Amino acid sequence: MATRITQKKTAKKPVKKQSRSFMSILSRFLFKMMLWFFGISLFFVVFYKFVPVVFTPLMVVRSIENISAGKENSFSHDWEPIENISMNLQKAVVASEDGTFLLHNGFDFKAMQKAYKGNERGRKIKGGSTISQQTAKNVFLWQGRSYLRKGLEAYFTVLIEVIWGKERIMEVYLNSIEMGTGIYGAQAAAEHWYRKDAKNLTPIQAAGIAAILPNPRKFTATSSSSYINNRKTKIMRVMRTVGKIEY
């Protein structure tokens, strides 16, 4: 009798689940990067609320530029608390750079709209950035014009407005802004241009420093051109309308 041989059926192995798609992996990676960015940026904003800003990205860039060009890498930066910075200089930068500094929440939308319309007509006018925006850019970001940098500037502006407040923003601004070739901050500028401390600046001297801020490596606060002298006169006139600064 013939024996019937039956072949055992091999059990089918379960099909492995397909690996996650590239987009899913990328989304998780970007989400984690955003969390890290928010955490680190928040940490540094809180940190600089209490600790002096010793250096800024612009200072590093200027040093690299000087080294690359074979120039002398001069650098002067002395941090001073706002109590040691003349109220005249505080009024001068408000008059020159941001007349609504004490009123806005970081952004002057009227000035931004005016700048946009002026740029459309091909005029060369002030960009509409407030002192808060300039401080956010100077301390946390790089120079240049791009949508990415402007977006980050807006983000840091909101953070410093909420966490620092106006007085700290002014203090950091006056201690970190470029006020001449290799000159950063009010104290270094007062010593360089007028051979005195920042707390002793007169109204005309404060106006002289504020007048060169559009391009402090091109213009000089003393022995100035007619353009800067006219700016000084205008700033002095506006300073009288600023009144008492109360943070």
Side-chain angles (χ1 to χ4, degrees), residues 42-207:
L42 187 60
F43 167 80
F44 277 107
V45 171
V46 173
F47 180 75
Y48 283 135
K49 177 179 174 64
F50 305 102
V51 178
V53 180
V54 179
F55 67 91
T56 66
L58 179 60
M59 296 176 191
V60 176
V61 169
R62 293 288 189 246
S63 296
I64 294 173
E65 288 176 350
N66 290 334
I67 293 172
S68 300
K71 297 179 181 178
E72 182 182 355
N73 194 22
S74 60
F75 181 88
S76 180
H77 179 224
D78 300 306
W79 179 277
E80 287 289 343
I82 197 167
E83 295 82 10
N84 293 344
I85 299 176
S86 171
M87 184 57 70
N88 291 321
L89 185 57
Q90 296 175 52
K91 287 185 177 182
V93 295
V94 168
S96 172
E97 299 294 301
D98 186 1
T100 60
F101 174 66
L102 295 174
L103 304 176
H104 62 62
N105 293 318
F107 306 94
D108 186 342
F109 293 104
K110 288 184 178 179
M112 292 167 67
Q113 185 178 28
K114 183 178 178 182
Y116 176 75
K117 289 181 178 179
N119 291 334
E120 276 191 330
R121 299 189 189 101
R123 293 180 186 172
K124 186 178 180 182
I125 66 171
K126 191 166 64 173
S129 292
T130 63
I131 285 176
S132 301
Q133 288 175 275
Q134 292 180 51
T135 304
K137 177 186 68 176
N138 288 339
V139 176
F140 299 106
L141 300 171
W142 63 95
Q143 303 296 307
R145 294 178 179 273
S146 69
Y147 289 114
L148 174 62
R149 193 193 64 74
K150 293 299 289 185
L152 291 173
E153 179 185 294
Y155 166 73
F156 279 107
T157 298
V158 171
L159 282 186
I160 65 175
E161 279 281 340
V162 172
I163 296 173
W164 288 4
K166 294 294 186 182
E167 186 172 22
R168 180 60 175 176
I169 290 172
M170 178 64 78
E171 183 176 48
V172 174
Y173 175 80
L174 290 176
N175 273 288
S176 62
I177 194 169
E178 188 175 31
M179 294 180 171
T181 302
I183 307 300
Y184 301 93
Q187 180 62 26
E191 290 175 354
H192 176 76
W193 295 116
Y194 301 110
R195 301 293 186 268
K196 59 169 54 178
D197 290 332
K199 63 182 177 182
N200 297 323
L201 289 170
T202 65
I204 186 62
Q205 290 169 344

